[in-house]
Amino acid sequence: DRRSLTETAVRSILEKSTYTNYEILILDNGSVEAETLEFFSQIQEEDHRVKVLAYDYPFNYSAINNFGARHAKGTIIGLINNDIEVING
């Protein structure tokens, strides 16, 4: 949940990064807020590099990241929390 945090993080990557060959996997661990779920649908439609994956198990930070790594297509993985913001390219 916390759409404002997640949206800021994701959009800052999409809008400010000069490197473009990446994917963003949003690992959703039980979000319930309507505005968050709306953002997840919207951002996936806006940009093909963004994919939301449901992690429907109790919170476990390591397990969630391992789940994401198993679904990643790239060879380099950056673990980014939803409270970051890209400030320059």
Side-chain angles (χ1 to χ4, degrees), residues 11-24:
R11 290 199 185 281
S12 74
I13 295 167
L14 295 172
E15 295 169 3
K16 296 179 182 175
S17 294
T18 55
Y19 184 77
T20 59
N21 186 22
Y22 60 83
E23 65 179 334
I24 297 174

Side-chain angles (χ1 to χ4, degrees), residues 24-41:
I24 297 174
L25 301 178
I26 298 174
L27 308 176
D28 179 20
N29 188 212
S31 296
V32 295
E33 295 176 359
E35 59 204 16
T36 301
L37 300 174
E38 177 185 336
F39 171 67
F40 289 167
S41 293

Side-chain angles (χ1 to χ4, degrees), residues 50-86:
V50 180
K51 185 174 183 180
V52 177
L53 303 174
Y55 182 80
D56 294 325
Y57 301 96
F59 178 80
N60 178 315
Y61 186 74
S62 298
I64 292 169
N65 286 317
N66 287 331
F67 172 79
R70 284 192 302 273
H71 289 85
K73 295 177 185 168
T75 56
I76 298 173
I77 296 174
L79 303 177
I80 301 172
N81 207 22
N82 68 342
D83 59 353
I84 63 96
E85 182 177 356
V86 174

